[in-house]
Amino acid sequence: MKIIQVVGYKNSGKTTLASQIIGILASKGLRVASLKHHGHGGLPLGFENTDSEKHKQAGAIIAGVEGEGVLQLSADTWDVDQMTAIYRWVGTDVLVIEGYKQFSFPKVVLINETDDLSILQRVDNVTAIVTSITLNKAFTDSYLVFYRNALAPFYEWISRTYVKK
């Protein structure tokens, strides 16, 4: 299973770009899955005051509930290996991860303004930058850079990099 992360600061366009990547790869016949970090604080909607949460509080190491094709799993903690193992187990070709800056998978970093460049000091394994601003030669020499106003080359790169050969 190949993995690509889309990271950036809040409201940088992560979900839009991740959705586009998913669409491109799925259109090539790949089994694409996604994992999004809920970075807004608190539990994702639908987890508080549920029977499955009561099971977890009673001592279950993982509590799950399924309905209408939605499976929610709750545990005290999830590590990256556990989460990615679930995706491998269901036969995923490419996993698109949105967020989780601390993970060390190949990353596409979104840069919308000069202040956003600080993210490059906080993350590793940057394979590409998608930006709305003009970057100087130091960045274009160090990173693969794509511009938001002309994403066709980025989509071609995604296809070449993540479609099985």
Side-chain angles (χ1 to χ4, degrees), residues 15-157:
T15 299
T16 299
L17 191 64
S19 296
Q20 291 168 340
I21 293 168
I22 292 165
I24 288 165
L25 296 176
S27 75
K28 307 282 186 190
L30 296 175
R31 293 175 47 89
V32 184
S34 70
L35 172 62
K36 180 178 176 14
H37 183 237
H38 179 70
H40 305 292
L43 293 171
L45 292 177
F47 278 93
E48 294 184 70
N49 301 318
T50 62
D51 291 344
S52 60
E53 273 306 292
K54 290 177 186 172
H55 295 168
K56 191 176 113 202
Q57 291 168 5
I61 61 166
I62 296 175
V65 60
E66 185 279 333
E68 307 248 349
V70 174
L71 174 62
Q72 295 177 329
L73 298 175
S74 174
D76 287 336
T77 60
W78 289 99
D79 69 37
V80 63
D81 293 330
Q82 292 169 322
M83 290 186 288
T84 56
I86 292 168
Y87 286 87
R88 280 188 186 87
W89 180 70
V90 297
T92 301
D93 293 319
V94 180
L95 174 59
V96 178
I97 298 176
E98 181 181 332
Y100 288 106
K101 291 179 193 81
Q102 76 279 13
F103 289 178
S104 291
F105 299 111
K107 289 178 186 60
V108 174
V109 178
L110 294 164
I111 305 290
N112 290 324
E113 52 190 60
T114 306
D115 289 346
D116 293 349
L117 292 169
S118 65
I119 195 172
L120 296 171
Q121 297 167 347
R122 297 181 53 216
V123 299
D124 65 356
N125 208 0
V126 176
T127 58
I129 293 174
V130 174
T131 183
S132 302
I133 62 173
T134 302
L135 297 178
N136 66 36
K137 188 169 173 27
F139 289 101
T140 58
D141 285 350
S142 300
Y143 300 101
L144 188 56
V145 176
F146 300 97
Y147 291 92
R148 275 225 159 123
N149 60 354
L151 282 176
F154 174 74
Y155 300 143
E156 291 169 16
W157 174 76

Side-chain angles (χ1 to χ4, degrees), residues 3-15:
I3 298 175
I4 184 169
Q5 282 184 262
V6 177
V7 300
Y9 290 125
K10 186 176 179 181
N11 296 320
S12 61
K14 295 181 298 293
T15 299

